[in-house]
Amino acid sequence: MYFDLQLWRMTEGLRMRMALAVVLGLLALAAGIARFAFFGWFLAQVFRGAGFHELLWPLVGVAACIVTRAALEHARTRVAHRTAAHVQEALRGRLFDKIIALGPGWFAAERTGEVGVAVLGVVPREVHRQDRKSTRLNSSHTVISYAVFCLKKK
């Protein structure tokens, strides 16, 4: 993965939304880690032979973490997709303006199918590609967070 300065310039005005998506992803990560901590507490209570009332709170914690993580992940996905759609809309607008500036004569000798597809927005791959990048980023933070949590416990 590399940092493209030209793409970064195109995100002007949307960077707070991008930061919000990252923060939501990290909060979802924390909720996922908390879910495992509650589940570990639950298992420890089971092996200790605890009664139903002692097992109830860890299970409530697991359920709350699952719901919280799902809500945060849904919000992150919606923000990321809307942000990507804004970037695509701006790019398509710039492309359309360039096409108008070139005039019809330029397209007389060129294949225009790809340009038409790009302007009309029939290519949904870019949104999903960005989603995979943020998922990889969140996954790498998960592994690091687990390692730090386990090392602190020792």
Side-chain angles (χ1 to χ4, degrees):
M1 196 156 87
Y2 65 96
F3 185 81
D4 189 337
L5 191 57
Q6 187 176 6
L7 286 175
W8 181 249
R9 284 188 205 115
M10 291 179 194
T11 62
E12 189 173 344
L14 299 170
R15 294 181 189 142
M16 289 304 292
R17 292 176 62 91
M18 293 168 63
L20 176 63
V22 169
V23 168
L24 287 171
L26 292 174
L27 289 173
L29 168 71
I33 292 171
R35 175 189 60 189
F36 289 125
F38 278 114
F39 192 66
W41 180 27
F42 169 76
L43 288 177
Q45 297 286 47
V46 167
F47 290 133
R48 202 186 70 181
F52 175 75
H53 292 291
E54 292 174 339
L55 295 175
L56 187 61
W57 287 112
L59 286 178
V60 168
V62 169
C65 288
I66 289 172
V67 170
T68 302
R69 184 182 181 282
L72 289 168
E73 189 62 25
H74 178 70
R76 183 202 61 81
T77 302
R78 287 182 55 99
V79 168
H81 282 230
R82 277 196 215 128
T83 304
H86 285 298
V87 171
Q88 284 182 336
E89 185 178 331
L91 286 174
R92 287 188 185 114
R94 289 175 62 191
L95 179 61
F96 184 75
D97 291 343
K98 184 66 173 178
I99 289 170
I100 297 300
L102 289 172
W106 188 84
F107 288 100
E110 299 293 326
R111 289 184 49 145
T112 58
E114 291 85 5
V115 175
V117 165
V119 171
L120 294 174
V122 187
V123 186
R125 288 176 282 173
E126 290 84 6
V127 173
H128 300 296
R129 190 175 303 137
Q130 181 62 34
D131 189 40
R132 286 195 304 267
K133 286 180 184 177
S134 63
T135 301
R136 275 187 251 134
L137 180 67
N138 286 338
S139 298
S140 64
H141 287 319
T142 302
V143 173
I144 293 168
S145 299
Y146 283 150
V148 169
F149 181 74
C150 290
L151 290 174
K152 283 190 174 186
K153 284 305 231 183
K154 289 181 180 183

